Amino acid sequence: MGSSFKVNYKEDMALFQNLWVKTWLVILILLMIILPFFLNRYQLSILNEMGIATIGALGLNLLIGYTGQISLGHGAFVAIGAYTSGLLTGKLGIPFIISLPLSGLMAALLGLIVGIPSLRLKGLYLALGTLAFGFVIEYILFHWDLTQGDLGMAVKRISLGQFQIKTQKQYFYLIAAFAFLAVLCAKNLVRSKIGRSFIAIRDRDIAAEAMGISLAKYKIMAFGLSSFYAGIAGCLAAHYNRWIVPGSFDISLSIAYIAMIIMGGLGTVLGSVLGAILITGIPHAIVYIVDLLKDTYPALSGFIVDFKLGIFGIIIVGTLLFEPAGLYGIYRRTKVYWKTWPFKY
Amino acid sequence: MAVIENQVPIQLTVSDLSIRFGGIHALNAVSLAVREGEIYSIIGPNGAGKTTLFNCISGIYLAQEGSIQFNGLDITGMKPHRIAQMGIARAFQNIELFRGMTVLDNLMSARGHAMRYGLFSAAVFIGKCLQEEVRCRDEVEEIIEFLDLQNLRKSPVGSLSYGLQKRVELGRALAMRPKLLLVDEPVSGMNLEETEDMARYMLDINEEMNITIILVEHEMGVVMDLSDRVTVLNFGTKIAEGSPQEISKDPQVISAYLGETQQLSS
Ligand SMILES: Nc1ncnc2c1ncn2[C@@H]1O[C@H](COP(=O)(O)OP(=O)(O)OP(=O)(O)O)[C@@H](O)[C@H]1O
Ligand SMILES: [Mg+2]
């Protein structure tokens, strides 16, 4: 293994450590650039959903996976981001460039407030608290005239100056760029003192305090960061779908995000990405399979809608039982296997 | 060190500290004063209140009565992380390492409060953030070298042997660059060689790094060899204080240790 002595700590800390990793990175970026030319609109729309989910999942993983603070209200923060940008661009005519960070900040602000009880509540109680917060937000969105409740709210197209984002391809580049940025920032955060403090709190909160880490500061920061990511995801989702209803940000969205990070791997950046891709992909795969089988078994198609949440539930339980490290764990093992192959021991 | 005993300033003062858990007086009006630069040991039978005293000093427990002063400042009731940042570090009795991290990151995590950079800098990891991370990495590497952990830098702490985990636990406390180090049973469960290494480290920490040490330990050989002064607790009450020689002759101490007298005299 790579035990070459590193003289310079800067080099040892670099995000992309060697030529091998850098080459892969360039290949990945090139692939992202040419991919839209080979995919149809439907396929691109799936990738776009995956990109948005990646951003949200990264946020939730910072909170649950890294800091160990359970939240069942992630969907509510996504909703806050979506409605903030929807209202800012729609009612006030604020450009997307400004409404995007503002929707992240709005979600973060509410995240900080929700984070305060986390200083006293742990585990199940915190989960219930965040769940309740989710219901409150849903209730407000349903009953506030501005958001038009059940009717839903139209959201403007994204315009950057004169340029309007219209096609799936254009959305793809935009969303991919933000997803990439989100991954990069998350990677940096988790290897900084902030990430170490998060993990310390997750692993041993009392020892963390005795090492000079302020529980209050970092727990609340984790809530803020996580909600910021959720808010950005919500804003992108709103402008991408161009129509938002409170129902699409309910508890089932929170559960889907939890499924992503558990399936992908708690406390890993790569796991958040893998989980987001898979959990977003699964419903499409089901639709695809049902489509194939629908002539032989017509009863299947009614089944499908309720099926989704059940599947996510099964995935959560299944992963926890059989592969607690998630897809990331499988990836790690395969990597070690190939590195040591053919010398297996 | 013992020569100038009386001129050396007091670093930590514990005055009339009492704490009860239900009916148990875990600490009963305990007072002691630790001088700058000494190795001060606290001994006593199981359940005597030694760890509880440490928990009070580091702010994890709030004593019901009494006060604690550190360098002349009242730290009673202060938050644990504030106390830690003032220079009191802690190595725990039961290993309390951050299991999800490598040896290096465990040590770095204890250095976080010394790094001055914010959220935005961290998200891009350039400028101030990189500069501070490199600086602290340098400082932490000194400790890694001191404790001979070079080959284990990138190992997850969970994969290490018990003895090594204890050493990392000490390293993490040292990474805080403390003025006062609280060490709770550093050699428990160790073999002879590991015990000797640990004793050597304690002496070096005390003499070369100029760190005051309060040591809780059952292993009497280590206590007798290292300590400048010893305090004995029994059922939460201080029953004796003095040099190791004085303590080992104290009749009250001997009777408190009745079941353990062999250990004491060996
Ligand atoms: N959080 C707590 N809740 C209830 N009782 C406690 C708590 N902490 C300590 N005690 C009690 O206080 C007494 C002193 O415990 P402490 O851990 O300080 O002993 P100790 O001297 O460190 O013993 P040992 O040598 O076994 O480590 C014990 O009776 C213990 O049960
Ligand atoms: Mg103890």
Side-chain angles (χ1 to χ4, degrees):
Chain A
M1 304 251 288
S3 57
S4 56
F5 183 62
K6 292 187 174 132
V7 193
N8 188 343
Y9 300 132
K10 229 184 229 179
E11 219 168 276
D12 191 31
M13 284 180 196
L15 192 52
F16 308 112
Q17 293 237 344
N18 50 39
L19 205 63
W20 179 248
V21 178
K22 281 176 192 156
T23 314
W24 273 109
L25 188 72
V26 172
I27 292 175
L28 184 73
I29 292 175
L30 287 178
L31 202 70
M32 293 295 245
I33 293 173
I34 57 168
L35 205 58
F37 295 97
F38 298 99
L39 298 178
N40 64 32
R41 275 175 49 205
Y42 173 64
Q43 288 162 335
L44 276 174
S45 78
I46 298 176
L47 288 184
N48 287 336
E49 278 178 44
M50 288 174 174
I52 294 171
T54 296
I55 300 173
L58 283 167
L60 191 61
N61 219 339
L62 284 174
L63 184 65
I64 298 185
Y66 280 94
T67 321
Q69 306 298 300
I70 293 169
S71 164
L72 291 177
H74 203 58
F77 293 109
V78 178
I80 291 164
Y83 276 91
T84 303
S85 192
L87 290 172
L88 285 178
T89 52
K91 307 277 183 221
L92 300 177
I94 288 173
F96 171 77
I97 292 277
I98 296 169
S99 79
L100 176 76
L102 285 182
S103 51
L105 289 175
M106 185 67 185
L109 184 73
L110 282 153
L112 296 179
I113 295 168
V114 173
I116 293 170
S118 78
L119 307 178
R120 303 198 158 260
L121 304 180
K122 276 188 177 178
L124 187 61
Y125 298 98
L126 183 60
L128 291 176
T130 52
L131 183 67
F133 172 75
F135 288 135
V136 171
I137 293 297
E138 212 186 320
Y139 182 87
I140 293 172
L141 295 179
F142 262 119
H143 291 92
W144 193 17
D145 347 321
L146 219 53
T147 55
Q148 300 170 36
D150 238 353
L151 273 175
M153 200 173 91
V155 182
K156 275 192 177 171
R157 278 189 197 286
I158 296 174
S159 31
L160 306 160
Q162 295 300 321
F163 183 71
Q164 270 205 339
I165 303 267
K166 280 192 181 125
T167 64
Q168 287 290 347
K169 202 156 123 191
Q170 290 162 345
Y171 273 115
F172 175 81
Y173 287 126
L174 183 89
I175 290 169
F178 277 114
F180 189 75
L181 205 65
V183 170
L184 213 61
C185 288
K187 263 280 187 208
N188 283 333
L189 284 169
V190 301
R191 68 200 177 109
S192 74
K193 70 167 180 189
I194 294 166
R196 286 191 294 266
S197 303
F198 285 175
I199 299 174
I201 290 170
R202 175 196 71 190
D203 286 354
R204 293 264 176 205
D205 54 353
I206 290 174
E209 265 190 302
M211 298 304 134
I213 296 169
S214 161
L215 293 191
K217 177 178 162 188
Y218 285 102
K219 276 186 181 178
I220 289 181
M221 191 191 280
F223 267 97
L225 263 176
S226 156
S227 319
F228 182 82
Y229 268 82
I232 296 290
C235 168
L236 289 173
H239 289 280
Y240 172 66
N241 295 318
R242 302 196 37 235
W243 190 265
I244 44 179
V245 282
S248 49
F249 305 103
D250 61 4
I251 175 78
S252 57
L253 183 64
S254 303
I255 301 278
Y257 273 117
I258 290 173
M260 287 176 207
I261 61 170
I262 287 182
M263 188 178 186
L266 288 171
T268 67
V269 169
L270 182 63
S272 321
V273 180
L274 296 178
I277 290 173
L278 248 109
I279 294 292
T280 314
I282 284 171
H284 292 287
I286 295 174
V287 169
Y288 181 76
I289 294 167
V290 168
D291 244 24
L292 285 183
L293 300 178
K294 118 174 132 229
D295 298 330
T296 4
Y297 310 99
L300 261 179
S301 48
F303 211 49
I304 185 77
V305 185
D306 318 308
F307 211 52
K308 211 167 93 180
L309 257 189
I311 292 224
F312 291 163
I314 292 168
I315 286 173
I316 293 178
V317 175
T319 315
L320 290 177
L321 277 179
F322 299 111
E323 183 56 65
L327 292 170
Y328 180 79
I330 297 172
Y331 160 79
R332 269 273 296 270
R333 237 180 298 122
T334 334
K335 200 167 113 181
V336 170
Y337 178 84
W338 283 111
K339 260 193 178 164
T340 52
W341 190 86
F343 312 103
K344 278 173 274 179
Y345 43 85
Chain B
M1 220 170 310
V3 194
I4 44 161
E5 219 165 68
N6 290 317
Q7 285 101 312
V8 178
I10 302 284
Q11 191 172 57
L12 185 89
T13 317
V14 173
S15 328
D16 289 320
L17 208 66
S18 295
I19 185 167
R20 282 175 298 275
F21 296 107
I24 303 167
H25 275 265
L27 291 175
N28 198 356
V30 172
S31 298
L32 48 88
V34 179
R35 299 190 185 103
E36 219 164 83
E38 74 177 331
I39 298 184
Y40 189 101
S41 288
I42 296 168
I43 62 170
N46 290 108
K50 306 178 295 292
T51 301
T52 303
L53 178 60
F54 272 9
N55 281 337
C56 290
I57 296 173
S58 45
I60 294 166
Y61 291 167
L62 179 60
Q64 280 135 352
E65 282 150 43
S67 67
I68 303 167
Q69 253 121 28
F70 178 60
N71 284 336
L73 238 90
D74 192 357
I75 58 167
T76 333
M78 229 183 230
K79 282 261 161 66
H81 72 271
R82 294 282 312 123
I83 293 173
Q85 288 173 10
M86 287 176 68
I88 301 182
R90 172 93 185 261
F92 289 89
Q93 175 175 1
N94 303 314
I95 292 164
E96 303 248 0
L97 293 172
F98 308 128
R99 296 187 66 84
M101 282 192 244
T102 60
V103 170
L104 176 65
D105 280 343
N106 262 278
L107 268 60
M108 288 289 278
S109 70
R111 200 95 204 96
H113 62 91
M115 299 185 207
R116 304 255 162 262
Y117 63 83
L119 192 59
F120 293 103
S121 183
V124 288
F125 218 86
I126 50 172
K128 196 94 187 119
C129 169
L130 187 59
Q131 202 180 316
E132 291 280 287
E133 287 280 339
V134 171
R135 179 178 63 81
C136 288
R137 173 71 188 271
D138 252 334
E139 294 165 355
V140 162
E141 283 294 335
E142 277 171 29
I143 292 155
I144 288 182
E145 209 161 300
F146 170 71
L147 293 176
D148 273 317
L149 293 168
Q150 291 96 325
N151 296 326
L152 304 171
R153 260 191 212 99
K154 298 285 170 79
S155 314
V157 288
S159 68
L160 305 183
S161 70
Y162 179 82
L164 280 172
Q165 290 196 27
K166 277 264 175 192
R167 204 190 290 178
V168 177
E169 177 86 42
L170 181 68
R172 187 180 61 176
L174 281 180
M176 302 195 62
R177 299 197 144 185
K179 300 188 191 90
L180 171 65
L181 181 62
L182 312 177
V183 197
D184 202 343
E185 302 198 14
V187 305
S188 69
M190 284 191 170
N191 63 32
L192 190 63
E193 197 191 331
E194 290 172 323
T195 303
E196 280 172 359
D197 282 347
M198 190 54 93
R200 186 73 248 160
Y201 288 136
M202 303 289 248
L203 278 177
D204 287 347
I205 290 167
N206 181 242
E207 283 166 11
E208 282 163 30
M209 301 182 178
N210 293 317
I211 295 172
T212 314
I213 296 178
I214 305 183
L215 174 69
V216 164
E217 187 48 68
H218 281 293
E219 178 60 46
M220 282 308 148
V222 173
V223 173
M224 295 294 150
D225 284 353
L226 297 185
S227 322
D228 294 307
R229 288 188 300 152
V230 182
T231 270
V232 187
L233 291 182
N234 193 22
F235 293 114
T237 309
K238 178 170 163 180
I239 57 171
E241 181 177 34
S243 70
Q245 293 74 24
E246 289 163 4
I247 288 299
S248 58
K249 292 191 205 94
D250 191 304
Q252 256 195 302
V253 177
I254 293 171
S255 76
Y257 269 98
L258 208 53
E260 301 175 46
T261 30
Q262 293 149 311
Q263 204 187 351
L264 194 65
S265 54
S266 68

